[in-house]
Amino acid sequence: MKYFLVIDEGTTSVRVISYSLEGKILAIKQKEYEQIYTKPGYVEQDINDIIKSLDRCVLETIKELGDDIISIGIANQRETTVLFTKDAKPIYNAISWQCRRTSSLCETLKQQGLEAKIKAKTGLKIDPYFSATKIYWLLHNVPHALDLANNGKLLFGTIDTYLMYYLSNGKIFKTDVTNASRTMLYNIYSKEWDKELCKLLDIPLSMLANVYPSKHLFGYTSCDSIFKKEIPIMGVAGDQQAALFGHLGINKGDTKITYGTGCFILTNMCEDYQNIDDSLITTLGVEYDNKTNYLAEGSVFYGGSLIKWIRDNLGLIKTAKESEACALAVKDNLGIYIVPAFTGLGAPYWSPEARGIICGLTAGANKNHIVRAALEAICYQVNDVLSLIAKNNKLNNVYVDGGAAVNDFLMQFQADISNMQIKRPNNIERTSLGIYYLLALAYGINICDLVKDDYNLIYPLMNKKERENLLDGYKKAVLKALNN
Ligand code: ADP
């Protein structure tokens, strides 16, 4: 049987999803791996664990479906940084996108007045999240790393790059535009590594992979790899951009909201990057037809994890799913608001000092009101980001995915508070679907022939007055969190 094989390398697990030519899922294999917390705020991953998990998923897939693989594609957690020698040996654990170890370096860069310059070149805000300062940290903290780098013997990769290098036995040293745009070293307008930024952070250009469109013949797996034969790698993209493409969010204003641990909001601006509000970041979307797509991106730090917090830390619910029944058991939030500013507030407030609050408590309040307020808090935060995007642009289709998007109350409240229609797919497997679309396009399949409209439409039902009252209540709660 001929099939496409998609590797979805995420933060906590790797999944190998196999698609038929027509886009039907044939098999999903998944293996989890550990996150390594070495100190508060430090998050690493052992690359060998990732590779072992990938190899097992591939072997299980081949055992079940055979090895007639047409092509391979990769979606990956973004920004996570690995430095490795030319024989594919990592010199240290991968530093996770979540790791905050370079906060003080980022502060120094800001104090040097570099924020505007970096934004103008990379579309990003200076933040430990992006790869650049993680590379700097590794070069200056791992013995001999800087020497190896200066002698052209050390390579940097986001995980896509490392996986391709590993699978091709060192023949492919490449990345795609979506991943390059998350490094804080790539000029997203001239579409090249920025020499000035690399120099500023002591990063030799020889460490950086060549950058290609997301749909591209990146190269072939090696006969010595787990695949035991040469198979073309034809599609690569960062997971968030892949998911937007998986919804076929290819027109101006098409938006994707992922409700996972955090929430990621991406809107396709096509070529119109000038209209992206300055408090958001600009990033590159999947490139498949020689056109550059600029995306407006904003994120919410505490999304589904707020529900996990009220489950594990407050013990108000036993499962995340139960949150929906609790919220529906009461007719409103009884004036209670939660602002989960546990580590400060992001867009549009950008206050690292803000702290979380639960406010508006009265004697009639019970746990259901608090659970409801937690779900509502996710929607208010997403709404803040959507409002920034919608300030200068019209949102077109708004698609949702992620683990918490199954919650009907959450989706209805989002539609209500943002006063917009939401499209929720029956198949929430959007990240790997985006990569499948790239592989199918590269194979000559017209994906428009394949796409069936499998979306549930969620319409706004709340009246204007109620919406305004609620938004006003949330705004007052945010002021309290900011003044904490
Ligand atoms: P990630 O990919 O970021 O690990 P997922 O997309 O798997 O996350 O979503 C899991 C998150 O969503 C968890 O934080 C969990 O608390 C939350 N979640 C899962 N199911 C629900 C639900 N039915 N209602 C609300 N939140 C949920």
Side-chain angles (χ1 to χ4, degrees):
M1 182 194 331
K2 276 186 181 308
Y3 65 97
F4 297 110
L5 185 141
V6 178
I7 299 168
D8 179 0
E9 192 280 326
T11 307
T12 54
S13 72
V14 67
R15 291 156 13 103
V16 167
I17 301 114
S18 309
Y19 283 89
S20 72
L21 263 70
E22 300 78 27
K24 186 166 164 281
I25 293 180
L26 301 172
I28 302 181
K29 307 292 172 192
Q30 177 165 9
K31 298 277 175 271
E32 311 229 316
Y33 31 72
E34 297 284 308
Q35 315 242 50
I36 304 163
Y37 300 96
T38 50
K39 279 191 212 177
Y42 280 47
V43 191
E44 300 176 2
Q45 285 183 311
D46 182 344
I47 282 288
N48 295 320
D49 274 356
I50 295 179
I51 292 296
K52 263 191 239 150
S53 302
L54 171 65
D55 286 355
R56 284 178 58 194
C57 291
V58 169
L59 283 179
E60 286 178 17
T61 304
I62 292 177
K63 197 165 164 214
E64 186 175 327
L65 301 175
D67 69 350
D68 201 357
I69 300 166
I70 303 164
S71 60
I72 296 171
I74 300 173
N76 57 292
Q77 53 170 322
R78 308 179 298 172
E79 302 96 13
T80 298
T81 295
V82 56
L83 298 194
F84 53 100
T85 51
K86 292 203 163 167
D87 52 359
K89 296 233 162 51
I91 59 160
Y92 195 81
N93 282 336
I95 300 191
S96 167
W97 59 272
Q98 304 164 90
C99 187
R100 308 298 295 173
R101 79 183 62 197
T102 58
S103 297
S104 61
L105 173 57
C106 287
E107 269 319 304
T108 309
L109 295 175
K110 284 184 200 164
Q111 278 156 18
Q112 289 171 359
L114 289 163
E115 224 163 353
K117 180 185 286 235
I118 289 181
K119 184 91 193 334
K121 287 169 180 271
T122 67
L124 305 175
K125 289 185 169 293
I126 297 175
D127 196 275
Y129 185 22
F130 306 111
S131 312
T133 57
K134 300 182 200 293
I135 304 175
Y136 181 94
W137 188 93
L138 287 164
L139 290 178
H140 291 87
N141 286 277
V142 179
H144 314 301
L146 201 53
D147 282 347
L148 283 172
N150 286 331
N151 290 321
K153 293 183 176 157
L154 196 63
L155 305 175
F156 151 72
T158 38
I159 304 289
D160 56 313
T161 300
Y162 184 79
L163 293 185
M164 284 192 278
Y165 197 82
Y166 165 75
L167 292 173
S168 67
N169 217 349
K171 288 214 178 64
I172 310 175
F173 182 51
K174 296 181 178 176
T175 189
D176 92 305
V177 288
T178 64
N179 279 295
S181 73
R182 311 299 296 177
T183 58
M184 217 171 84
L185 295 172
Y186 190 68
N187 187 318
I188 60 171
Y189 305 105
S190 63
K191 309 247 313 261
E192 60 194 351
W193 295 115
D194 191 277
K195 293 193 184 70
E196 189 187 358
L197 295 183
C198 290
K199 188 148 185 275
L200 188 81
L201 289 165
D202 293 344
I203 299 171
L205 284 166
S206 59
M207 291 183 75
L208 305 176
N210 287 331
V211 184
Y212 292 90
S214 315
K215 177 170 86 60
H216 169 73
L217 172 56
F218 286 85
Y220 294 85
T221 56
S222 150
C223 294
D224 302 330
S225 73
I226 194 79
F227 289 98
K228 302 271 184 291
K229 63 191 224 185
E230 291 195 342
I231 303 171
I233 300 176
M234 300 294 296
V236 171
D239 52 8
Q240 297 304 323
Q241 289 101 322
L244 178 63
F245 194 57
H247 289 285
L248 284 182
I250 56 176
N251 295 314
K252 181 141 189 260
D254 282 349
T255 298
K256 177 230 52 153
I257 311 169
T258 297
Y259 295 85
T261 306
C263 300
F264 290 92
I265 301 115
L266 273 69
T267 295
N268 198 342
M269 300 294 292
C270 297
E271 282 107 45
D272 185 19
Y273 59 80
Q274 290 94 340
N275 273 326
I276 298 177
D277 188 274
D278 218 33
S279 54
L280 295 163
I281 58 178
T282 306
T283 199
L284 292 177
V286 162
E287 190 176 319
Y288 59 99
D289 60 358
N290 299 321
K291 274 213 301 276
T292 304
N293 288 302
Y294 291 96
L295 312 182
E297 178 170 328
S299 50
V300 164
F301 304 146
Y302 286 86
S305 54
L306 178 60
I307 305 307
K308 190 170 178 305
W309 183 77
I310 59 164
R311 186 193 71 188
D312 299 345
N313 294 39
L314 301 188
L316 295 182
I317 45 176
K318 289 202 183 65
T319 62
K321 187 170 185 286
E322 212 181 297
S323 63
E324 182 171 349
C326 290
L328 290 169
V330 287
K331 71 175 192 338
D332 58 26
N333 66 8
L334 206 73
I336 297 173
Y337 292 88
I338 300 181
V339 183
F342 298 132
T343 48
L345 278 176
Y349 313 102
W350 294 114
S351 165
E353 283 82 35
R355 282 297 168 266
I357 51 160
I358 302 179
C359 63
L361 292 168
T362 50
N366 63 37
K367 79 166 186 178
N368 292 334
H369 294 109
I370 296 177
V371 174
R372 182 172 174 128
L375 288 170
E376 291 182 357
I378 298 174
C379 300
Y380 290 124
Q381 297 176 91
V382 167
N383 185 59
D384 277 338
V385 175
L386 287 174
S387 305
L388 280 177
I389 299 174
K391 215 159 81 180
N392 307 323
N393 310 286
K394 200 174 157 321
L395 299 182
N396 193 25
N397 295 301
V398 178
Y399 302 105
V400 295
D401 57 40
V406 297
N407 186 314
D408 288 339
F409 171 82
L410 188 75
M411 294 298 101
Q412 185 60 55
F413 194 76
Q414 189 72 69
D416 285 343
I417 214 66
S418 302
N419 195 24
M420 66 184 188
Q421 180 189 293
I422 286 176
K423 294 188 166 185
R424 179 173 60 183
N426 293 319
N427 164 20
I428 57 160
E429 190 61 55
R430 279 358 246 200
T431 301
S432 68
L433 189 63
I435 301 296
Y436 157 75
Y437 284 154
L438 288 176
L439 300 182
L441 278 169
Y443 194 62
I445 296 173
N446 182 352
I447 53 174
C448 296
D449 291 346
L450 304 174
V451 177
K452 287 184 211 71
D453 208 15
D454 68 339
Y455 286 91
N456 293 313
L457 299 183
I458 301 156
Y459 297 97
L461 301 174
M462 189 179 278
N463 68 48
K464 188 164 177 248
K465 187 150 192 321
E466 190 180 353
R467 180 167 55 250
E468 283 174 358
N469 282 342
L470 285 166
L471 286 170
D472 194 46
Y474 175 66
K475 209 186 275 173
K476 288 187 180 133
V478 167
L479 283 178
K480 291 186 188 131
L482 289 170
N483 291 325
N484 248 347

